[in-house]
């Protein structure tokens, strides 16, 4: 029993995706461009074994719907343990605050939960397009309490954009019958027969990726502008506070000479008298800017896979 508990508590290092689940996800993505669903299976010895999935409806997913689906699967002896979710993505648009919040909720409730992201556009261009992600423990500790990031905790904890999401290796596995079918099909294809199953346009993919990167760079520039405006507001407030304190000290010099009651002149006491002047200006959430950086990095990596490993610098 102790060995079983230890094997369950091991951190996830790999995702085994059964080919049935891969087909389910791909077929679901063929219906609508943006879809999602539940992943079912087991985690043991650091491996997340994804054995089945079911789609979420287009409208808001109710808890009753999920419970009914799990109950139905249990009745036909299919794995019904929730281990995460899947969703489609195009050119990294899954990297958003909503995505982070959803994955955080899963990991808070299911320790070894993960998400599988499928990009149909990558698949059209012959790239393996099923990727698994988890939030890092370092990021969760900083983010889960206030659901926001600040410059201070990013710098103090040396949080890099590569430490927000960790990608897990995905291995597509087949059962015996599936392996036998694939072997039979492979033997039926003559060696001289070459079929090109990739219908995608690589140039078009690169063009779209570069356009997306440009949009993300513009959004990142806007985020930096918001942060710069915040710093200007803070500096202005500090100047006003300093001026007020200096004026108060001058008043107290006069009051002391005239033997009048001295007025508060420390920041702590004055802040009670003038709360609007000494109220801390909250810094804008820094997570959107970090995610923009992460999206740019993701786009660079995908383009680099298509045109050459050393032709794009993915440093941001």
């Amino acid at each position: 029993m102790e060995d079983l508990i230890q094997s369950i508590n091991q951190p996830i290092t790999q995702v085994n995706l059964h080919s049935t689940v891969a087909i389910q996800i791909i077929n679901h993505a063929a219906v609508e461009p943006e879809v999602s669903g539940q992943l079912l299976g087991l985690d043991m010895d650091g491996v997340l074994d994804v054995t089945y999935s079911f789609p979420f409806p287009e409208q808001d997913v109710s808890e009753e719907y999920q419970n009914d689906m799990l109950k139905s699967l249990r009745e036909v002896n299919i794995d019904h343990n929730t281990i995460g979710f899947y969703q489609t993505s195009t050119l990294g648009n899954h990297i958003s605050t909503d995505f982070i919040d959803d994955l955080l909720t899963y990991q808070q409730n299911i320790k070894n939960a993960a998400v599988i992201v499928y990009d149909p556009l990558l698949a059209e261009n012959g790239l393996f397009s099923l990727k698994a992600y988890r939030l890092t423990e370092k990021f969760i500790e900083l983010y889960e309490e206030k659901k926001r990031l600040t410059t201070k905790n990013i710098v103090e904890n040396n949080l890099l954009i590569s430490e927000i999401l960790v990608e897990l290796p995905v291995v597509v596995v087949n059962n015996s019958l599936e392996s036998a079918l694939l072997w039979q099909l492979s033997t039926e294809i003559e060696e001289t027969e070459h079929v090109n199953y990739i219908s995608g346009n690589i140039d078009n993919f690169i063009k779209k990726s570069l356009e997306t990167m440009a949009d993300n760079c513009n959004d990142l520039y806007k985020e930096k502008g918001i942060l710069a405006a915040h710093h200007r507001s803070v500096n202005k407030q500090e100047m006003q506070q300093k001026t007020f304190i200096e004026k108060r000290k001058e008043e107290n010099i006069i009051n002391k000479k005239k033997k009048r009651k001295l007025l508060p002149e420390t920041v702590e006491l004055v802040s009670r008298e003038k709360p609007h002047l000494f109220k801390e200006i909250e810094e804008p959430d820094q997570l959107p800017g970090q995610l923009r950086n992460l999206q740019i990095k993701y786009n660079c990596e995908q383009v680099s896979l298509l045109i050459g490993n050393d032709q794009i610098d993915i440093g941001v």
Side-chain angles (χ1 to χ4, degrees):
M1 179 62 72
E2 186 177 345
D3 292 340
L4 178 61
I5 294 174
Q6 289 179 353
S7 64
I8 294 175
N9 289 331
Q10 285 186 25
I12 296 300
T13 57
Q14 177 179 307
V15 174
N16 283 354
L17 183 68
H18 286 232
S19 55
T20 301
V21 182
I23 293 172
Q24 289 172 337
I25 295 174
I26 293 170
N27 286 340
H28 190 197
V31 178
E32 293 287 341
E34 295 183 5
V35 297
S36 59
Q38 195 92 297
L39 297 177
L40 308 173
L42 299 168
D43 67 273
M44 191 73 68
D45 297 326
V47 176
L48 198 65
D49 198 32
V50 187
T51 59
Y52 204 79
S53 69
F54 64 84
F56 289 148
E58 294 182 15
Q59 59 272 23
D60 292 338
V61 183
S62 66
E63 187 175 344
E64 181 181 1
Y65 167 79
Q66 296 183 57
N67 291 336
D68 288 343
M69 286 295 297
L70 294 174
K71 181 180 178 182
S72 299
L73 293 172
R74 183 169 62 248
E75 290 175 352
V76 294
N77 201 29
I78 292 178
D79 287 336
H80 55 277
N81 299 307
T82 300
I83 54 174
F85 68 102
Y86 71 83
Q87 74 172 65
T88 53
S89 168
T90 303
L91 301 173
N93 66 357
H94 65 282
I95 304 174
S96 64
T97 52
D98 288 339
F99 174 80
I100 296 295
D101 289 340
D102 288 342
L103 184 52
L104 176 63
T105 300
Y106 270 87
Q107 289 188 219
Q108 286 174 330
N109 292 283
I110 306 167
K111 182 178 179 181
N112 287 330
V115 59
I116 290 179
V117 176
Y118 171 65
D119 190 333
L121 195 57
L122 282 180
E124 289 178 5
N125 288 279
L127 296 177
F128 186 71
S129 53
L130 291 163
K131 298 181 180 294
Y133 297 98
R134 278 175 53 82
L135 295 175
T136 65
E137 293 299 326
K138 183 176 182 178
F139 172 78
I140 291 175
E141 289 176 2
L142 294 176
Y143 182 72
E144 66 178 341
E145 183 177 351
K146 295 185 177 180
K147 294 293 181 69
R148 63 193 314 275
L149 289 180
T150 64
T151 303
K152 181 179 179 181
N153 56 28
I154 290 175
V155 173
E156 287 181 351
N157 294 277
N158 194 27
L159 180 68
L160 306 176
I161 60 170
S162 58
E163 294 175 316
I164 297 176
L165 285 169
V166 58
E167 183 178 347
L168 303 172
V170 176
V171 177
V172 178
V173 297
N174 302 306
N175 60 33
S176 300
L177 290 176
E178 291 164 343
S179 298
L181 175 61
L182 290 173
W183 179 84
Q184 182 179 354
L185 292 174
S186 66
T187 58
E188 294 175 358
I189 299 177
E190 297 181 5
E191 292 184 2
T192 56
E193 183 179 358
H194 297 285
V195 182
N196 181 15
Y197 294 101
I198 301 173
S199 59
N201 186 325
I202 292 179
D203 292 338
N204 186 49
F205 172 81
I206 294 174
K207 179 183 177 182
K208 288 182 178 179
S209 296
L210 294 176
E211 289 173 349
T212 301
M213 276 190 276
D215 291 339
N216 285 328
C217 287
N218 288 332
D219 291 339
L220 181 60
Y221 181 78
K222 291 177 183 178
E223 292 292 338
K224 290 184 176 181
I226 293 173
L227 183 60
H230 165 75
H231 288 314
R232 288 195 295 269
S233 297
V234 171
N235 290 335
K236 181 180 178 181
Q237 184 190 54
E238 289 176 349
M239 289 298 296
Q240 290 174 339
Q241 292 172 353
K242 183 179 179 180
T243 301
F244 184 87
I245 293 294
E246 289 176 351
K247 185 177 179 181
R248 177 57 57 85
K249 288 180 178 179
E250 291 174 358
E251 290 177 359
N252 277 337
I253 292 174
I254 297 173
N255 290 336
K256 187 174 182 181
K257 289 179 179 179
K258 295 184 178 182
K259 297 182 179 181
R260 295 175 183 171
K261 182 180 179 181
L262 299 181
L263 300 173
E265 59 182 40
T266 63
V267 173
E268 181 181 357
L269 295 176
V270 174
S271 61
R272 298 174 186 174
E273 180 185 348
K274 301 284 185 179
H276 64 283
L277 182 59
F278 288 84
K279 183 180 180 180
E280 182 180 357
I281 301 176
E282 187 175 57
E283 182 183 82
D285 186 9
Q286 295 306 295
L287 180 60
Q290 296 295 307
L291 295 182
R292 288 287 179 268
N293 274 323
L294 196 56
Q295 282 183 310
I296 295 169
K297 180 175 183 291
Y298 176 90
N299 293 140
C300 289
E301 289 173 342
Q302 302 313 313
V303 173
S304 179
L305 287 173
L306 285 174
I307 68 173
N309 293 329
D310 300 323
Q311 296 187 37
I312 290 186
D313 180 9
I314 64 173
V316 291

